[in-house]
Amino acid sequence: MKPGYQQTLITKVTNQTDAEKTIKISVSDATTSSTGIINYGPSKEKLLGEDVLLLTDMIEAPNQIKLKAYETKEIEMKLTVPKEEFDGLVLGGVQLKEVTSEDNEESIEGVGLQNKYVYLYSISLKENDTKIEPDIVISEAYFEEIAYLSIDNPKQMIVDNMTIETLLMGEDSDKVLKEFREENYRMAPNSKLTMPLEGTEELASGLYRTKTSVTVDGKKWQFENSFEVTSASKEINQGPVEEETTKEKTVNWLI
């Protein structure tokens, strides 16, 4: 792209059934999932930085379209990039999801299950080949039913091939209670990875600390964090599951 450049992006959609369909269109900024993959679909996560560039600020798209039986339509999305040149990558995705009604739900062993078919593809924008060096920050460790590490990628670049190693210890002891290692993690630009430390659900109340190293292409960052386990933090969200929560579970086909 070039600064201030405009372009019309077109997606062709075909309804291959004999019934009218409504397709919801969602444009999202890429985020990072808790399992270390890039999520191009809708997310509640906010990107890092006050002046971060957002794909959602650059694209105008319709909210939805209707397709008659066997009809084909083109979805036009107007893309306008900022007038000031930027380095790095702007990353996001477009999701096309069939809108269904609860009348189509099937009951399986008393649980409402609704199939929703989703098409999801990514959009990446850049204006130059200026190299950006990665930077990694661990903003905090905390406990809410399980221990978590919050790892930040504040740069406008994808971070690939991350290896994350964490040692869990008591507040005043160097005895390692648990070890954690994750490989081949990826992070979207300007995003946060909220990584659960599996197996920490049964930690007793008290203070703990973590030693974490993050390695990317031979470069290493090291961090020490602490967190507290309380009886209240062990019981967050412990309550009856409401019927609406069950109905929201979906089977998504991502292409």
Side-chain angles (χ1 to χ4, degrees), residues 125-162:
L125 309 175
K126 71 174 185 177
E127 294 184 344
N128 57 51
D129 294 320
T130 301
K131 185 176 181 181
I132 298 179
E133 294 296 331
D135 189 20
I136 299 296
V137 177
I138 291 190
S139 55
E140 65 175 332
Y142 63 96
F143 188 93
E144 289 182 0
E145 293 185 313
I146 190 173
Y148 293 90
L149 283 177
S150 289
I151 302 176
D152 295 349
N153 169 24
K155 295 296 188 73
Q156 199 160 291
M157 63 174 294
I158 294 174
V159 178
D160 277 311
N161 302 318
M162 295 176 62

Side-chain angles (χ1 to χ4, degrees):
M1 302 292 291
K2 295 180 180 180
Y5 191 65
Q6 292 185 343
Q7 191 174 122
T8 299
L9 309 181
I10 297 175
T11 296
K12 184 179 292 185
V13 185
T14 300
N15 178 7
Q16 296 181 329
T17 73
D18 59 2
E20 182 179 84
K21 292 188 179 296
T22 300
I23 307 299
K24 181 180 179 181
I25 304 160
S26 302
V27 180
S28 304
D29 300 298
T31 56
T32 302
S33 76
S34 62
T35 55
I37 61 175
I38 296 178
N39 172 30
Y40 295 97
S43 171
K44 295 181 180 179
E45 293 289 334
K46 302 296 183 182
L47 296 190
L48 306 174
E50 294 182 359
D51 299 322
V52 60
L53 296 175
L54 305 177
L55 182 71
T56 49
D57 288 340
M58 302 180 193
I59 289 186
E60 295 179 16
N63 293 324
Q64 66 179 32
I65 62 168
K66 289 185 181 294
L67 294 173
K68 298 177 182 178
Y70 305 109
E71 183 181 16
T72 296
K73 279 187 177 180
E74 289 186 346
I75 303 170
E76 293 190 356
M77 296 171 284
K78 183 179 179 181
L79 170 65
T80 305
V81 298
K83 294 181 179 179
E84 295 186 3
E85 183 177 7
F86 63 84
D87 298 333
L89 195 69
V90 176
L91 194 65
V94 176
Q95 176 181 277
L96 308 177
K97 182 170 69 174
E98 178 186 351
V99 178
T100 60
S101 67
E102 292 187 358
D103 294 336
N104 293 329
E105 291 185 0
E106 296 180 3
S107 180
I108 300 179
E109 295 181 352
V111 177
L113 179 64
Q114 187 175 5
N115 291 322
K116 295 181 181 179
Y117 297 94
V118 177
Y119 292 84
L120 180 63
Y121 58 86
S122 65
I123 295 177
S124 61
L125 309 175
K126 71 174 185 177
E127 294 184 344
N128 57 51
D129 294 320
T130 301
K131 185 176 181 181
I132 298 179
E133 294 296 331
D135 189 20
I136 299 296
V137 177
I138 291 190
S139 55
E140 65 175 332
Y142 63 96
F143 188 93
E144 289 182 0
E145 293 185 313
I146 190 173
Y148 293 90
L149 283 177
S150 289
I151 302 176
D152 295 349
N153 169 24
K155 295 296 188 73
Q156 199 160 291
M157 63 174 294
I158 294 174
V159 178
D160 277 311
N161 302 318
M162 295 176 62
T163 298
I164 305 169
E165 298 172 288
T166 298
L167 303 178
L168 174 65
M169 297 162 286
E171 179 189 20
D172 300 316
S173 173
D174 289 330
K175 180 181 178 181
V176 177
L177 303 177
K178 287 184 178 293
E179 297 184 33
F180 308 89
R181 180 183 174 88
E182 302 292 350
E183 296 181 327
N184 299 319
Y185 269 33
R186 306 182 77 212
M187 292 189 68
N190 302 102
S191 68
K192 179 185 294 291
L193 163 63
T194 303
M195 188 177 77
L197 300 181
E198 301 294 344
T200 55
E201 300 91 337
E202 303 303 323
L203 286 177
S205 296
L207 296 174
Y208 296 86
R209 58 194 179 97
T210 57
K211 286 186 176 181
T212 301
S213 67
V214 180
T215 305
V216 179
D217 295 333
K219 186 176 181 180
K220 180 177 286 189
W221 295 262
Q222 294 182 317
F223 307 93
E224 291 195 25
N225 296 83
S226 60
F227 63 90
E228 183 177 8
V229 178
T230 65
S231 56
S233 64
K234 289 172 69 70
E235 296 176 358
I236 291 176
N237 296 329
Q238 293 292 331
V241 177
E242 297 182 1
E243 183 180 359
E244 287 186 2
T245 304
T246 304
K247 286 186 177 181
E248 288 176 357
K249 292 182 179 180
T250 61
V251 178
N252 291 333
W253 295 95
L254 305 182
I255 301 179

